[in-house]
Amino acid sequence: MKEDLLHFIWGQKKLHGRQLTSTANEAITIKAPGVPNQYSGPDFFNAQIAIDAQTWVGNVEIHLKSSDWYAHHHQTDSNYDNVILHVVWEDDISVFRKDGSLIPTLELKDYVSKELLERYQNLFEKSKPKFINCEKDFAQIDSFLMEHWLHRLYIERLEEKSKRIEVLLKKSKNDWEGVLFALLAKNFGSKVNGDFFLDRALQLEYSIIRKVSGSLEDLESLLFGHFGLLEVDHCTDHYFLRLQKEYRYLSRKFDLLPALSKPEFFGLRPPNFPTIRISQLAQLYGKKQSLFAQLMEVDALEEIYSIFDIASSSYWEDHFTFGKTSKKSKKKLSKSFMDLLVINTIVPLKFCYSRRVGLDWNDDLISLISEIKKEQNSIIKGFENLGSKTKNAMESQAKIQLHTQYCSKNKCLRCALGTHLLNRNT
């Protein structure tokens, strides 16, 4: 037995059988179970409960055992003074408020159907490894319910990303352009170097980029040096030496902090080398002024593709690393890479910005990301193995949210799909 099931039983009114009575034999009628509390304090706020024909309005606390009240030190916490009912699976001790008054207790174990308990136990049955707990029934879940839950999950994912953006905005004193640069730098660093790129971008005041963006070579020298790629020993390449000399000047001029480590190349395909990505990032900011304002104005995917239609500087057409030539090729941002920028940076930033300025862009953002192809990863493959096809990037993002925040954490009773499965015929 877990406490989350008791929350589900109480919130969903899954109490069957005879008249409810407290452990003191008082008649109990639930007029309203209250509002679930996701933070500290009692589990349900503003419940309405009739106890022996007298209606009480207040809070409800739920525990596996009555003695958990004292184990959690609620008797000394004023947040629990307005608890009107203690709901438990097993009543093993009387519970009193700080003023000494007895809190009525409802013991649930005699009021829950065996079918519901069996269904719950089957959901969490651990006899064999599972991708998700409800995998046997997942493919049969109503498509209408699935569609609406995925929509909600995607908005939830955007809300989580928006909170992280708000943290960056606070650090940058609401410099939206600077936050965009930091987030793009993380994306250009990919999984291997993303965190390193983000950290270094946050250590570079965006005003410096504005000041040097008039010269593409100066901007490249700034970014290559700041991201630790001009510390190569014994490189005689003329382009490298020019960048290195310029960065030493810029470093002194702007009092830049040196990189304590370098980006990784191992495990990356050459087009994803940090040298190529930094050159592309420099080209983007050298050619696009007020990039944040541009991106907030566009609402069509093709317009975003047009903004990011850039390539590395000419030196990198026949290089992947400094001083070593390679077969000549134009190194442009691929459409799949641009899609990742839209998914991971542009849409979350537009979502956060729209909240700040009081606009509702949710439907527009859903339409935008729904035009992008689904992502390919182990989570999406796992759902497809269960017969659940993924149509686009909105659904793949929603399923990532479902798996990481619900399935893998066994939060089935906070999931619309899990509660639907438990609600059947109960």
Side-chain angles (χ1 to χ4, degrees), residues 82-357:
N82 196 30
V83 170
I84 60 174
L85 185 66
H86 195 201
V87 178
V88 300
W89 184 253
E90 180 183 348
D91 179 44
D92 61 343
I93 194 172
S94 296
V95 171
F96 298 87
R97 300 182 183 89
K98 283 197 304 182
D99 63 4
S101 58
L102 179 69
I103 300 177
T105 299
L106 174 63
E107 189 177 54
L108 291 182
K109 62 183 180 181
D110 293 329
Y111 297 104
V112 180
S113 70
K114 291 182 179 179
E115 292 80 8
L116 177 61
L117 292 177
E118 289 174 358
R119 192 165 289 155
Y120 177 78
Q121 290 167 356
N122 289 336
L123 188 61
F124 290 99
E125 189 266 324
K126 301 295 184 183
S127 61
K128 63 179 182 179
K130 294 180 178 179
F131 171 64
I132 57 174
N133 288 327
C134 64
E135 59 186 32
K136 293 180 181 178
D137 303 303
F138 193 84
Q140 283 73 48
I141 292 174
D142 178 73
S143 59
F144 181 80
L145 172 65
M146 178 70 74
E147 180 180 343
H148 281 262
W149 180 229
L150 290 178
H151 184 282
R152 175 58 210 151
L153 285 170
Y154 180 61
I155 297 299
E156 181 181 289
R157 188 164 179 82
L158 286 180
E159 288 170 345
E160 290 181 2
K161 291 183 177 182
S162 183
K163 290 177 182 178
R164 294 193 286 270
I165 292 172
E166 290 286 354
V167 172
L168 296 179
L169 282 169
K170 186 176 181 180
K171 290 181 178 178
S172 69
K173 298 180 181 180
N174 291 318
D175 186 348
W176 289 94
E177 289 282 3
V179 170
L180 172 62
F181 172 73
L183 294 175
L184 287 176
K186 177 177 173 61
N187 288 173
F188 275 69
S190 71
K191 289 183 179 180
V192 174
N193 292 305
D195 289 339
F196 173 76
F197 273 32
L198 176 62
D199 288 342
R200 291 302 290 164
L202 293 173
Q203 294 176 40
L204 180 64
E205 291 186 15
Y206 187 71
S207 60
I208 299 173
I209 294 175
R210 290 189 179 101
K211 291 174 182 177
V212 303
S213 60
S215 165
L216 286 174
E217 188 166 306
D218 287 354
L219 187 53
E220 277 203 341
S221 68
L222 172 68
L223 297 185
F224 276 117
H226 187 70
F227 286 86
L229 286 167
L230 296 180
E231 302 300 322
V232 181
D233 295 328
H234 310 300
C235 182
T236 58
D237 182 276
H238 293 298
Y239 185 66
F240 172 86
L241 294 175
R242 289 206 314 271
L243 294 181
Q244 190 181 60
K245 180 180 179 181
E246 179 62 21
Y247 178 68
R248 286 172 179 167
Y249 165 74
L250 294 173
S251 180
R252 291 191 299 269
K253 180 178 180 179
F254 296 113
D255 194 23
L256 300 177
L257 295 173
L260 300 179
S261 58
K262 299 177 182 179
E264 292 289 341
F265 286 76
F266 182 76
L268 291 171
R269 294 175 58 249
N272 291 325
F273 277 2
T275 45
I276 304 303
R277 291 307 188 196
I278 288 176
S279 178
Q280 292 167 338
L281 188 61
Q283 292 292 307
L284 175 65
Y285 275 91
K287 295 179 179 178
K288 307 291 183 181
Q289 301 300 315
S290 302
L291 184 57
F292 173 79
Q294 289 185 54
L295 290 172
M296 293 306 103
E297 290 176 0
V298 302
D299 54 13
L301 189 59
E302 290 301 323
E303 292 179 272
I304 296 175
Y305 288 158
S306 177
I307 290 174
F308 286 95
D309 184 19
I310 52 101
S312 59
S313 60
S314 58
Y315 174 85
W316 298 103
E317 290 182 4
D318 57 1
H319 290 78
F320 285 106
T321 58
F322 284 111
K324 185 177 180 180
T325 58
S326 61
K327 183 178 179 181
K328 191 167 185 177
S329 64
K330 199 168 183 67
K331 297 174 176 65
K332 299 181 65 175
L333 293 183
S334 67
K335 187 167 288 189
S336 61
F337 186 81
M338 293 186 214
D339 286 342
L340 291 177
L341 297 181
V342 176
I343 293 169
N344 295 319
T345 292
I346 298 168
V347 169
L349 202 60
K350 287 170 77 74
F351 177 83
C352 185
Y353 178 73
S354 69
R355 293 286 184 92
R356 276 286 192 99
V357 298

Side-chain angles (χ1 to χ4, degrees), residues 57-75:
V57 177
N59 304 328
V60 172
E61 178 67 4
I62 296 176
H63 287 124
L64 292 176
K65 293 184 178 182
S66 301
S67 55
D68 290 338
W69 179 277
Y70 296 105
H72 299 163
H73 306 292
H74 295 335
Q75 75 278 11

